Amino acid sequence: MIPSLIVLRGLPGSGKSTLSGVLSDDGRWPVFSVDDYFTDPQSGDYAFKFAENHRAYQQCLDNTEAAMAKKTEKIILDNTFTLDWEMEPYFKLASDHQYRVFVVTVENHHGGKNQHGISDEQIAKMAAKYKLRLF
């Protein structure tokens, strides 16, 4: 079977984390997110630090690459990925490691709220920049 990289993208509160849990088959498959960097593994508390955002992106990429090097059959990414350039390094990794890529856009049809306290104004700004690939 060809290994798969499943890229979940969507605005905060859309349900990416919930869906990633379902797709991970109760933790059988790894889920990587930029949010992991800012989440305390003991308490689960989330504390975003903008100055460290580049480290969070690098950690997520490094974790994905390590899982690919182990030939993990299914890897799930759970990030906003509102801009195409944010996904490009993962597409390159997938190509280098011969993974097929599925990009899934998650939409908030359930009235969910984001868990990180991002304001509606900030989400609207993110939505304005959000691009969908139609072809």
Side-chain angles (χ1 to χ4, degrees):
M1 176 174 237
I2 299 171
S4 298
L5 176 66
I6 301 170
V7 178
L8 301 179
R9 65 188 298 248
L11 296 171
S14 62
K16 298 178 304 295
S17 297
T18 300
L19 180 57
S20 68
V22 170
L23 295 175
S24 75
D25 198 14
D26 292 323
R28 178 176 179 200
W29 307 112
V31 176
F32 301 121
S33 174
V34 170
D35 288 345
D36 296 342
Y37 181 88
F38 301 108
T39 304
D40 182 288
Q42 304 297 326
S43 67
D45 292 338
Y46 177 84
F48 179 76
K49 298 175 187 100
F50 181 77
E52 295 180 25
N53 207 28
H54 65 286
R55 290 186 183 128
Y57 274 89
Q58 190 61 54
Q59 176 181 289
C60 187
L61 188 64
D62 291 346
N63 289 341
T64 302
E65 184 170 27
M68 286 181 174
K70 292 182 199 174
K71 305 289 186 216
T72 303
E73 188 177 321
K74 184 174 21 172
I75 302 167
I76 301 146
L77 295 177
D78 164 9
N79 289 319
T80 56
F81 292 119
T82 55
L83 304 171
D84 284 345
W85 68 263
E86 296 171 312
M87 293 183 282
E88 289 301 326
Y90 298 97
F91 295 159
K92 181 175 180 345
L93 278 181
S95 176
D96 291 349
H97 291 272
Q98 300 178 330
Y99 272 68
R100 63 185 171 181
V101 178
F102 297 93
V103 177
V104 179
T105 299
V106 183
E107 297 179 352
N108 185 350
H109 289 274
H110 58 282
K113 295 291 181 189
N114 78 84
Q115 301 174 0
H116 304 306
I118 300 170
S119 71
D120 289 345
E121 179 183 342
Q122 185 62 30
I123 292 173
K125 287 179 184 177
M126 293 171 77
K129 296 186 284 185
Y130 199 93
K131 301 282 191 241
L132 292 177
R133 174 175 267 182
L134 301 176
F135 302 100

